[in-house]
Tab-separated table of all heavy atoms in Angstrom:
chain	number	residue	atom	x	y	z
A	666	ALA	N	-7.783	43.837	-36.050
A	666	ALA	CA	-6.395	43.457	-35.704
A	666	ALA	C	-6.080	41.996	-36.212
A	666	ALA	O	-4.961	41.700	-36.507
A	666	ALA	CB	-6.072	43.815	-34.294
A	667	GLY	N	-7.082	41.190	-35.922
A	667	GLY	CA	-6.995	39.666	-36.215
A	667	GLY	C	-6.913	39.606	-37.754
A	667	GLY	O	-6.020	38.769	-38.386
A	668	GLY	N	-7.691	40.380	-38.540
A	668	GLY	CA	-7.533	40.263	-40.013
A	668	GLY	C	-6.092	40.800	-40.492
A	668	GLY	O	-5.526	40.083	-41.288
A	669	GLY	N	-5.700	41.885	-39.851
A	669	GLY	CA	-4.419	42.301	-40.130
A	669	GLY	C	-3.305	41.335	-39.747
A	669	GLY	O	-2.300	41.087	-40.535
A	670	ALA	N	-3.389	40.616	-38.711
A	670	ALA	CA	-2.419	39.647	-38.248
A	670	ALA	C	-2.314	38.548	-39.159
A	670	ALA	O	-1.244	38.079	-39.318
A	670	ALA	CB	-2.672	39.178	-36.847
A	671	ILE	N	-3.371	38.176	-39.784
A	671	ILE	CA	-3.340	36.922	-40.654
A	671	ILE	C	-2.582	37.369	-41.953
A	671	ILE	O	-1.670	36.640	-42.262
A	671	ILE	CB	-4.770	36.492	-41.025
A	671	ILE	CG1	-5.477	35.895	-39.978
A	671	ILE	CG2	-4.821	35.652	-42.328
A	671	ILE	CD1	-7.054	35.890	-40.087
A	672	VAL	N	-2.797	38.663	-42.482
A	672	VAL	CA	-2.067	39.019	-43.643
A	672	VAL	C	-0.678	39.214	-43.328
A	672	VAL	O	0.292	38.853	-44.058
A	672	VAL	CB	-2.842	40.378	-44.198
A	672	VAL	CG1	-2.047	40.886	-45.219
A	672	VAL	CG2	-4.170	39.958	-44.733
A	673	GLN	N	-0.422	39.833	-42.181
A	673	GLN	CA	0.919	40.045	-41.739
A	673	GLN	C	1.841	38.844	-41.514
A	673	GLN	O	2.972	38.837	-41.871
A	673	GLN	CB	0.984	40.894	-40.461
A	673	GLN	CG	2.211	41.272	-39.800
A	673	GLN	CD	2.155	41.981	-38.485
A	673	GLN	OE1	1.058	41.864	-37.809
A	673	GLN	NE2	3.247	42.747	-38.062
A	674	ALA	N	1.179	37.843	-41.023
A	674	ALA	CA	1.974	36.649	-40.630
A	674	ALA	C	2.190	35.780	-41.931
A	674	ALA	O	3.063	34.944	-41.834
A	674	ALA	CB	1.152	35.843	-39.638
A	675	ALA	N	1.449	35.830	-43.042
A	675	ALA	CA	1.578	34.977	-44.188
A	675	ALA	C	2.891	35.178	-44.680
A	675	ALA	O	3.410	36.180	-44.798
A	675	ALA	CB	0.507	35.344	-45.197
A	676	GLY	N	3.749	34.078	-44.887
A	676	GLY	CA	4.832	34.078	-45.373
A	676	GLY	C	5.972	34.333	-44.443
A	676	GLY	O	7.150	34.369	-44.794
A	677	THR	N	5.690	34.325	-43.180
A	677	THR	CA	6.655	34.500	-42.114
A	677	THR	C	6.731	33.301	-41.148
A	677	THR	O	5.867	32.339	-41.377
A	677	THR	CB	6.347	35.765	-41.212
A	677	THR	OG1	5.170	35.413	-40.519
A	677	THR	CG2	6.045	36.939	-42.056
A	678	ASP	N	7.647	33.340	-40.297
A	678	ASP	CA	7.889	32.178	-39.271
A	678	ASP	C	6.623	32.117	-38.368
A	678	ASP	O	6.341	31.066	-37.798
A	678	ASP	CB	9.035	32.376	-38.398
A	678	ASP	CG	10.385	32.216	-39.224
A	678	ASP	OD1	10.336	31.628	-40.364
A	678	ASP	OD2	11.517	32.754	-38.779
A	679	ALA	N	5.869	33.199	-38.269
A	679	ALA	CA	4.629	33.248	-37.472
A	679	ALA	C	3.503	32.456	-38.025
A	679	ALA	O	2.502	32.165	-37.378
A	679	ALA	CB	4.266	34.523	-37.046
A	680	TRP	N	3.515	32.221	-39.382
A	680	TRP	CA	2.385	31.653	-40.091
A	680	TRP	C	1.773	30.505	-39.502
A	680	TRP	O	0.530	30.237	-39.217
A	680	TRP	CB	2.640	31.505	-41.567
A	680	TRP	CG	1.515	30.998	-42.334
A	680	TRP	CD1	1.420	29.696	-42.950
A	680	TRP	CD2	0.394	31.678	-42.672
A	680	TRP	NE1	0.235	29.549	-43.632
A	680	TRP	CE2	-0.421	30.703	-43.354
A	680	TRP	CE3	-0.156	32.896	-42.274
A	680	TRP	CZ2	-1.615	30.998	-43.796
A	680	TRP	CZ3	-1.469	33.169	-42.705
A	680	TRP	CH2	-2.267	32.231	-43.471
A	681	ALA	N	2.703	29.444	-39.168
A	681	ALA	CA	2.000	28.137	-38.726
A	681	ALA	C	1.156	28.260	-37.408
A	681	ALA	O	0.169	27.780	-37.265
A	681	ALA	CB	3.226	27.220	-38.454
A	682	GLY	N	1.731	29.104	-36.453
A	682	GLY	CA	1.038	29.398	-35.219
A	682	GLY	C	-0.278	30.136	-35.485
A	682	GLY	O	-1.345	29.899	-34.852
A	683	ILE	N	-0.158	31.198	-36.261
A	683	ILE	CA	-1.319	32.056	-36.526
A	683	ILE	C	-2.487	31.242	-37.298
A	683	ILE	O	-3.631	31.300	-36.969
A	683	ILE	CB	-0.975	33.330	-37.372
A	683	ILE	CG1	0.020	34.131	-36.538
A	683	ILE	CG2	-2.189	34.134	-37.731
A	683	ILE	CD1	-0.386	34.529	-35.233
A	684	ARG	N	-1.961	30.530	-38.267
A	684	ARG	CA	-2.805	29.780	-39.131
A	684	ARG	C	-3.645	28.734	-38.276
A	684	ARG	O	-4.907	28.658	-38.347
A	684	ARG	CB	-1.942	28.903	-40.223
A	684	ARG	CG	-2.843	28.029	-41.145
A	684	ARG	CD	-1.721	27.340	-42.043
A	684	ARG	NE	-2.411	26.445	-42.908
A	684	ARG	CZ	-2.543	25.106	-42.671
A	684	ARG	NH1	-2.094	24.603	-41.470
A	684	ARG	NH2	-3.193	24.286	-43.438
A	685	SER	N	-2.965	27.924	-37.400
A	685	SER	CA	-3.712	26.950	-36.674
A	685	SER	C	-4.511	27.599	-35.562
A	685	SER	O	-5.560	27.163	-35.379
A	685	SER	CB	-2.683	26.058	-35.913
A	685	SER	OG	-1.817	26.722	-35.053
A	686	GLY	N	-4.146	28.562	-35.066
A	686	GLY	CA	-4.874	29.381	-33.998
A	686	GLY	C	-6.254	29.979	-34.500
A	686	GLY	O	-7.304	29.839	-33.975
A	687	ILE	N	-6.075	30.661	-35.737
A	687	ILE	CA	-7.278	31.209	-36.291
A	687	ILE	C	-8.275	30.113	-36.678
A	687	ILE	O	-9.547	30.221	-36.609
A	687	ILE	CB	-6.872	32.108	-37.579
A	687	ILE	CG1	-6.133	33.289	-37.152
A	687	ILE	CG2	-8.157	32.601	-38.399
A	687	ILE	CD1	-6.856	34.292	-36.244
A	688	ALA	N	-7.676	29.030	-37.296
A	688	ALA	CA	-8.630	27.849	-37.662
A	688	ALA	C	-9.351	27.234	-36.503
A	688	ALA	O	-10.544	26.951	-36.637
A	688	ALA	CB	-7.739	26.804	-38.398
A	689	ARG	N	-8.600	27.139	-35.408
A	689	ARG	CA	-9.108	26.684	-34.103
A	689	ARG	C	-10.260	27.543	-33.607
A	689	ARG	O	-11.356	27.107	-33.260
A	689	ARG	CB	-7.985	26.525	-33.110
A	689	ARG	CG	-8.534	25.733	-31.881
A	689	ARG	CD	-7.469	25.654	-30.829
A	689	ARG	NE	-6.912	27.018	-30.350
A	689	ARG	CZ	-5.754	27.434	-30.718
A	689	ARG	NH1	-4.903	26.806	-31.488
A	689	ARG	NH2	-5.349	28.712	-30.339
A	690	ILE	N	-10.002	28.906	-33.705
A	690	ILE	CA	-11.029	29.872	-33.266
A	690	ILE	C	-12.227	29.812	-34.043
A	690	ILE	O	-13.401	29.671	-33.574
A	690	ILE	CB	-10.485	31.265	-33.159
A	690	ILE	CG1	-9.532	31.382	-32.100
A	690	ILE	CG2	-11.570	32.326	-33.147
A	690	ILE	CD1	-8.645	32.787	-31.985
A	691	LEU	N	-12.108	29.861	-35.401
A	691	LEU	CA	-13.103	29.916	-36.356
A	691	LEU	C	-13.787	28.535	-36.445
A	691	LEU	O	-15.082	28.475	-36.642
A	691	LEU	CB	-12.719	30.328	-37.654
A	691	LEU	CG	-12.511	31.865	-37.697
A	691	LEU	CD1	-11.864	32.198	-39.020
A	691	LEU	CD2	-13.834	32.621	-37.481
A	692	GLY	N	-13.125	27.408	-36.244
A	692	GLY	CA	-13.689	26.053	-36.326
A	692	GLY	C	-14.583	25.621	-35.140
A	692	GLY	O	-15.399	24.821	-35.218
A	693	ARG	N	-14.325	26.434	-33.919
A	693	ARG	CA	-15.184	26.162	-32.817
A	693	ARG	C	-15.283	24.603	-32.307
A	693	ARG	O	-16.303	24.266	-31.993
A	693	ARG	CB	-16.536	26.798	-32.883
A	693	ARG	CG	-16.658	28.162	-33.436
A	693	ARG	CD	-15.858	29.277	-32.474
A	693	ARG	NE	-16.209	29.056	-31.023
A	693	ARG	CZ	-15.339	29.135	-30.001
A	693	ARG	NH1	-14.052	29.240	-30.209
A	693	ARG	NH2	-15.730	29.096	-28.801
A	694	GLY	N	-14.239	23.971	-32.576
A	694	GLY	CA	-14.129	22.651	-32.105
A	694	GLY	C	-14.655	21.613	-33.012
A	694	GLY	O	-14.721	20.279	-32.691
A	695	GLU	N	-14.997	21.892	-34.205
A	695	GLU	CA	-15.600	20.997	-35.192
A	695	GLU	C	-14.439	20.880	-36.371
A	695	GLU	O	-13.974	21.815	-36.915
A	695	GLU	CB	-16.752	21.642	-35.892
A	695	GLU	CG	-18.021	21.747	-35.066
A	695	GLU	CD	-19.139	22.284	-35.738
A	695	GLU	OE1	-19.247	22.141	-37.032
A	695	GLU	OE2	-20.002	22.875	-34.969
A	696	SER	N	-13.996	19.606	-36.408
A	696	SER	CA	-12.768	19.257	-37.197
A	696	SER	C	-13.085	19.656	-38.714
A	696	SER	O	-12.195	20.186	-39.404
A	696	SER	CB	-12.314	17.832	-37.117
A	696	SER	OG	-13.454	16.938	-37.445
């Protein structure tokens, strides 16, 4: 569902929030 959400959000108003949230999750606190 997460992979689908990324693809679904690209190009929409949701992109900025999804983009930063996924990066935060996968980054695990490392900039």
